[in-house]
């Protein structure tokens, strides 16, 4: 099959592309400024363009069977992701692409939606209403052998391990190989057509428990300091690195349901306790 990947140079893309390139013809849609160095080791073709430029997408989607949409601007409230998704959908329609696989996020299922979650939810709606065949995958927080995401940021903080709020909120961190496997199986499986799946780790676990496991695994002796949400909101008002909705959302349990992922795609994801054995801090 011929597969177009947007966001190929990102965290998930770099892990995914070498795996799909073993079985399919892969075209990576990259920007002029994208660093393609790592991807050049795989047998792939590059198409230079920008998701905000519809004509470059019309050109890139020509004769493609599937488009995997990973690209995101990641900026809170950045509506460019909506324009990008619309451009991709229209280009796929024009060139009769058989399916889009869209990487949404568990953030789209939160009660207190931040802008990121809101935009993901809106793009999900656009995919469902596009008339195209689609699979939507909603990963929870993803970690890999060298990237522990927000957990890693807490662990690497100088002198203490800061935790937003009481840390009792439950997460389902998911290992990168399970995310790439969910994408690979969505390419093949007809059962995944016009469906949405939560892609989360095989265990719901509190942030406090995660920190305890990591302290033990990496022999870290720093004390854990719980930061009241009100203080975090104040800090992030001065240093707007996290939006207020995201701080509130962080305190919400991740309500992931992986039953359909197991049923349709036969994918049983790893628990954090298993996955952490692959990680070096
Ligand atoms: N990482 C996670 O923990 C996580 C969890 C849940 C969901 N997700 C979702 O999974 C998807 C992939 O995440 P990621 O962590 O791999 O993202 P990432 O590392 O931030 O990569 C973003 C990618 O998007 C590309 N991009 C951004 N704007 C573009 C534009 N206008 N035109 C073309 N390409 C553009 C970037 O290209 P450049 O190289 O040129 O910058 C980069 O390749 C995202 O939709 C994200 O929301 C991620």
């Amino acid at each position: 099959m011929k597969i177009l990947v947007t966001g190929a140079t990102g965290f998930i893309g770099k892990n995914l592309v070498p795996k799909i390139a073993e079985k399919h013809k892969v075209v990576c849609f990259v920007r002029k400024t994208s660093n393609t160095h790592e991807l050049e080791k795989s047998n792939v073709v590059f198409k230079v363009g920008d998701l905000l430029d519809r004509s470059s997408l019309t050109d890139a989607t020509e004769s493609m069977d599937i488009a995997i949409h990973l690209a995101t601007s990641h900026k809170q409230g950045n509506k460019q992701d909506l324009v990008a998704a619309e451009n991709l959908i229209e280009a796929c329609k024009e060139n009769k692409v058989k399916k889009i696989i869209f990487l949404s996020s568990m953030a789209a299922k939160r009660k207190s939606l931040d802008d990121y979650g809101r935009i993901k939810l809106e793009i999900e709606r656009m995919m469902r209403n596009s008339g195209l065949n689609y699979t939507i995958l909603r990963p929870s927080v993803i970690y890999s052998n060298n990237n522990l995401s927000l957990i890693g940021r807490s662990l690497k903080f100088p002198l203490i391990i800061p935790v937003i709020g009481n840390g009792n909120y439950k997460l389902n961190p998911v290992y990168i190989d399970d995310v790439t496997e969910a994408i690979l199986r969505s390419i093949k499986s007809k059962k995944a057509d016009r469906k949405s799946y939560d892609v989360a780790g095989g265990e719901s676990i509190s942030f406090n428990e995660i920190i305890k496991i990591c302290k033990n695994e990496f022999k870290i002796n720093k004390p854990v300091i719980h930061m009241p949400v009100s203080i975090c909101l104040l800090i992030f008002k001065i240093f707007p690195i996290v939006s207020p909705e995201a701080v509130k959302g962080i305190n919400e349990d991740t309500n992931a349901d992986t039953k359909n992922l197991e049923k349709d795609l036969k994918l049983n994801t790893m628990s954090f306790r298993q996955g952490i054995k692959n990680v070096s801090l």
Side-chain angles (χ1 to χ4, degrees):
M1 262 193 278
K2 278 186 163 176
I3 301 182
L4 180 78
V5 182
T6 75
T9 51
F11 171 48
I12 300 179
K14 279 186 208 154
N15 283 280
L16 175 73
V17 165
K19 292 182 184 171
I20 341 178
E22 284 171 16
K23 291 198 179 143
H24 303 280
K25 289 201 167 134
V26 177
V27 175
C28 298
F29 185 76
V30 294
R31 294 190 276 197
K32 255 192 276 180
T33 50
S34 298
N35 181 350
T36 57
H37 184 70
E38 236 179 274
L39 294 175
E40 281 160 26
K41 294 175 208 146
S42 300
N43 183 20
V44 296
V45 170
F46 295 98
K47 275 265 175 192
V48 177
D50 194 300
L51 284 159
L52 302 175
D53 167 20
R54 168 107 42 110
S55 64
S56 65
L57 275 168
T58 306
D59 180 40
T61 48
E62 205 191 322
S63 80
M64 290 296 135
D65 297 303
I66 291 186
I68 302 178
H69 185 36
L70 306 174
T72 182
S73 62
H74 267 313
K75 288 183 195 131
Q76 292 286 335
N78 194 332
K79 300 225 168 27
Q80 286 185 356
D81 281 0
L82 291 177
V83 178
E86 194 189 335
N87 284 343
L88 181 63
I89 286 171
E90 289 310 315
C92 285
K93 279 189 191 170
E94 215 172 300
N95 283 313
K96 301 194 173 25
V97 174
K98 295 185 189 86
K99 179 168 174 171
I100 299 190
I101 298 173
F102 168 53
L103 267 280
S104 179
S105 163
M106 284 302 295
K109 282 184 78 178
R110 282 194 185 134
K111 276 192 222 111
S112 23
L113 280 179
D114 59 0
D115 283 334
Y116 174 68
R118 247 188 300 276
I119 283 170
K120 287 292 189 200
L121 197 60
E122 178 59 20
I123 300 174
E124 287 191 11
R125 195 192 59 75
M126 288 160 68
M127 295 283 163
R128 286 195 191 94
N129 295 339
S130 65
L132 289 164
N133 186 9
Y134 65 86
T135 299
I136 293 168
L137 300 172
R138 289 190 207 105
S140 57
V141 56
I142 306 170
Y143 63 99
S144 70
N145 57 349
N146 58 11
N147 180 355
L148 260 184
S149 187
L150 65 118
I151 305 158
R153 266 173 261 152
S154 275
L155 294 173
K156 285 179 183 165
F157 202 84
L159 303 172
I160 61 161
I161 300 176
V163 171
I164 299 175
N166 62 22
N168 290 331
Y169 39 90
K170 298 260 173 78
L171 304 174
N172 295 64
V174 61
Y175 192 61
I176 184 72
D177 288 0
D178 284 329
V179 178
T180 53
E181 194 54 39
I183 299 171
L184 290 170
R185 292 187 191 197
S186 300
I187 294 172
K188 280 194 293 186
S189 172
K190 286 254 166 260
K191 283 190 179 161
D193 287 355
R194 296 176 201 282
K195 299 244 184 81
S196 309
Y197 298 96
D198 295 351
V199 184
E203 183 187 25
S204 187
I205 184 168
S206 76
F207 198 84
N208 288 334
E209 192 69 16
I210 288 172
I211 295 292
K212 207 164 133 192
I213 293 169
C214 291
K215 278 184 78 172
N216 197 29
E217 185 67 30
F218 304 120
K219 314 265 176 291
I220 302 173
N221 272 323
K222 291 182 291 189
V224 175
I225 303 291
H226 291 273
M227 318 266 289
V229 170
S230 54
I231 294 189
C232 294
L233 286 170
L234 256 176
I235 294 173
F236 295 137
K237 211 171 184 176
I238 303 162
F239 306 102
I241 38 175
V242 182
S243 74
E245 291 103 323
V247 176
K248 286 179 207 151
I250 246 169
N251 261 312
E252 229 180 73
D253 291 344
T254 304
N255 284 317
D257 181 353
T258 53
K259 279 200 287 296
N260 289 335
L261 193 73
E262 288 157 25
K263 192 170 131 238
D264 290 352
L265 300 183
K266 308 275 175 271
L267 183 59
N268 292 300
T269 53
M270 240 185 269
S271 71
F272 186 72
R273 276 170 232 275
Q274 291 169 294
I276 195 71
K277 305 281 176 210
N278 302 319
V279 177
S280 52
L281 197 61

